[in-house]
């Protein structure tokens, strides 16, 4: 009979986000310490561990609609906190759409990110109880351990669901895990699990060879947890560029008048025109700030950045209208 050499460790820790977690056995699998599976029993043990946790892992793995593309993420709390990559979230306080595996689309907003290591948090803003998984806050993963990556390869496909790739940790540093899991475009931001079904890292850099892929470990999220939850932008590049204040473009030419700031010309296919602004409109507010003249309008724009989602309130023929759009690059 094969000896399993398992050490069973029980943890009832609550995950750092404060959300409900479940007490579950954490097994130190013997096959993590073998150079390669030695027989059919080893392969069956790996398969059994994977199958035990796969359904829950897939249910919590989501697609993130970026508007101009797709990434992936994983829900780590019942109320909809999502781990993903910084280059997927695209910045702080950004409106995103989370797609569950049944096709349900949910409004979400990006929280903080670490641009140097590629970690980020996103929060579903619609109230509900969502499928979620625990993550390995005890940092148990080591070189040679078996892991599996999930992600919505190439974008969301409801019939297919998130794609599974099994592999091992082949490289290890403080800010990076390297595996031979074959992740591709669209998998970025998706979870890397150990065979206890805990998230140990997030898919970050997809390499040309597909067998040499980089993941940002959970410990990077933990060390920056408070700042990520507070919506802070940490570091500078290469995975997310800090917003440049004052480079946002509305696409209107205005003049001061007795009635207020009058729109006299619109940039063709500019943000304002696409949002429905018309020549003759009187600008009342921008980004929830009242403006009475062009100088005040310029002062507000000086604090905004390209890609910011803004609300513009205008008066048109005595009617107050609220329009929303994303600023272009000046």
């Amino acid at each position: 009979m094969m000896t399993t050499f398992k050490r069973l460790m029980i943890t009832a820790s609550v995950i750092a986000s404060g959300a409900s977690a479940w007490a579950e056995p954490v097994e130190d699998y013997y096959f993590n310490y073998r150079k390669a599976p030695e027989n059919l029993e080893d392969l069956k043990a790996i398969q059994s561990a994977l199958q035990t946790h796969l359904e829950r892992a897939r249910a919590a793995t989501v697609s993130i609609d970026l508007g101009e593309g797709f990434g992936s993420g994983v829900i780590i709390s019942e109320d909809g906190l999502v781990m993903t990559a910084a280059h997927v979230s695209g910045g702080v306080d950004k409106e995103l759409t989370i797609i569950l595996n049944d096709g349900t689309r949910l409004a979400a907003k990006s929280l903080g990110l670490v641009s140097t290591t590629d970690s980020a948090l996103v929060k579903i803003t619609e109230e509900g109880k969502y499928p979620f998984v625990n993550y390995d806050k005890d940092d148990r993963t080591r070189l040679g351990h078996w892991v599996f990556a999930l992600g919505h390869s190439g974008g969301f496909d409801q019939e297919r669901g998130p794609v599974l790739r099994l592999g091992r940790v082949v490289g290890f540093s403080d800010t990076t895990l390297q595996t031979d899991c074959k992740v591709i475009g669209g998998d970025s931001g998706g979870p890397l699990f150990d065979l206890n079904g805990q998230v140990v890292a997030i898919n970050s850099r997809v390499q040309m060879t597909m067998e040499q892929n980089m993941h940002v470990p959970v410990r990077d999220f933990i060390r920056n947890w408070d700042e990520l939850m507070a919506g802070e932008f940490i570091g500078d590049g290469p995975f997310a560029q800090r917003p440049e204040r004052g480079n946002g473009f509305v696409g209107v030419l205005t003049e001061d008048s007795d009635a207020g700031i009058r729109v006299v010309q619109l940039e063709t296919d500019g943000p304002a025109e696409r949002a429905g602004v018309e020549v003759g409109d009187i600008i009342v507010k921008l980004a929830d700030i009242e403006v009475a003249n062009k100088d005040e309008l310029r002062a507000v724009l000086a604090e905004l950045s390209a890609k910011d989602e803004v609300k513009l309130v205008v008066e048109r023929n005595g009617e107050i209208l609220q329009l929303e759009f994303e600023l272009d690059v000046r």
Side-chain angles (χ1 to χ4, degrees):
M1 176 179 288
M2 180 184 66
T3 304
T4 62
F5 303 106
K6 291 181 181 177
R7 299 193 305 274
L8 188 62
M9 299 176 292
I10 308 296
T11 180
S13 300
V14 176
I15 60 177
S17 67
S20 299
W22 62 93
E24 185 171 283
V26 177
E27 298 189 12
D28 192 15
Y29 292 106
Y30 77 94
F31 47 70
N32 279 331
Y33 304 98
R34 291 191 172 177
K35 186 175 181 179
E38 297 178 358
N39 49 46
L40 181 59
E41 292 304 315
D42 288 356
L43 293 174
K44 287 182 176 180
I46 294 169
Q47 176 179 274
S48 176
L50 174 64
Q51 290 177 332
T52 297
H53 302 289
L54 183 57
E55 182 177 357
R56 186 171 194 133
R58 283 173 60 93
T61 300
V62 299
S63 179
I64 301 179
D65 186 346
L66 312 174
E68 298 179 353
F70 289 88
S72 298
V74 61
I75 305 174
I76 58 166
S77 70
E78 189 176 54
D79 63 350
L81 188 64
V82 176
M83 279 184 177
T84 188
H87 77 272
V88 171
S89 74
V92 300
D93 200 32
K94 296 292 185 181
E95 301 290 339
L96 302 167
T97 300
I98 298 292
I99 309 176
L100 303 181
N101 289 321
D102 64 1
T104 300
R105 300 175 69 88
L106 300 165
K109 180 171 289 188
S110 60
L111 301 179
L113 63 82
V114 183
S115 63
T116 49
T117 57
D118 206 18
S119 54
L121 291 177
V122 170
K123 181 66 170 61
I124 296 173
T125 54
E126 298 184 35
E127 290 188 8
K129 293 183 178 181
Y130 303 106
F132 73 99
V133 289
N134 283 342
Y135 59 87
D136 179 20
K137 72 172 188 173
D138 295 319
D139 196 21
R140 297 185 180 90
T141 304
R142 294 294 180 265
L143 199 65
H145 281 199
W146 285 86
V147 290
F148 64 97
L150 288 177
H152 289 271
S153 307
F156 180 74
D157 184 325
Q158 185 173 344
E159 184 175 352
R160 179 201 64 197
V163 178
L164 164 71
R165 274 62 49 92
L166 180 67
R168 303 186 84 170
V169 177
V170 298
F172 192 95
S173 74
D174 183 54
T175 58
T176 303
L177 288 183
Q178 181 179 350
T179 74
D180 56 7
C181 298
K182 296 176 181 284
V183 296
I184 64 172
D187 292 320
S188 292
L192 183 74
F193 290 93
D194 64 18
L195 292 195
N196 283 293
Q198 296 186 118
V199 180
V200 298
I202 292 297
N203 305 333
S204 174
R205 282 146 282 177
V206 177
Q207 304 296 318
M208 294 297 292
T209 63
M210 292 176 65
E211 289 85 9
Q212 297 179 352
N213 295 287
M214 304 297 179
H215 316 261
V216 54
V218 161
R219 59 178 167 271
D220 190 69
F221 287 82
I222 293 173
R223 72 165 60 98
N224 296 293
W225 190 264
D226 291 342
E227 292 84 358
L228 290 171
M229 290 296 293
E232 295 185 18
F233 189 112
I234 305 169
D236 290 298
F239 298 110
Q241 299 301 313
R242 190 179 296 275
E244 180 183 342
R245 291 192 304 175
N247 72 337
F249 177 65
V250 177
V252 296
L253 181 64
T254 61
E255 65 177 10
D256 289 332
S257 70
D258 292 340
I261 310 169
R262 187 186 305 277
V263 176
V264 296
Q265 187 175 332
L266 292 165
E267 177 79 15
T268 301
D269 198 36
E273 184 181 72
R274 292 196 299 268
V277 177
E278 297 180 1
V279 171
D281 287 349
I282 303 298
I283 297 176
V284 178
K285 288 183 181 181
L286 178 62
D288 294 324
I289 300 174
E290 291 188 5
V291 287
N293 54 56
K294 291 175 63 175
D295 288 340
E296 292 183 0
L297 181 62
R298 279 193 290 266
V300 174
L301 281 171
E303 299 299 317
L304 299 175
S305 305
K307 302 296 185 180
D308 281 350
E309 296 280 347
V310 298
K311 295 178 182 179
L312 181 72
V313 178
V314 300
E315 181 182 346
R316 182 184 303 162
N317 300 322
E319 183 181 359
I320 298 297
L321 303 174
Q322 179 173 286
L323 307 171
E324 298 184 20
F325 55 88
E326 181 181 282
L327 297 178
D328 280 353
V329 178
R330 184 180 298 280

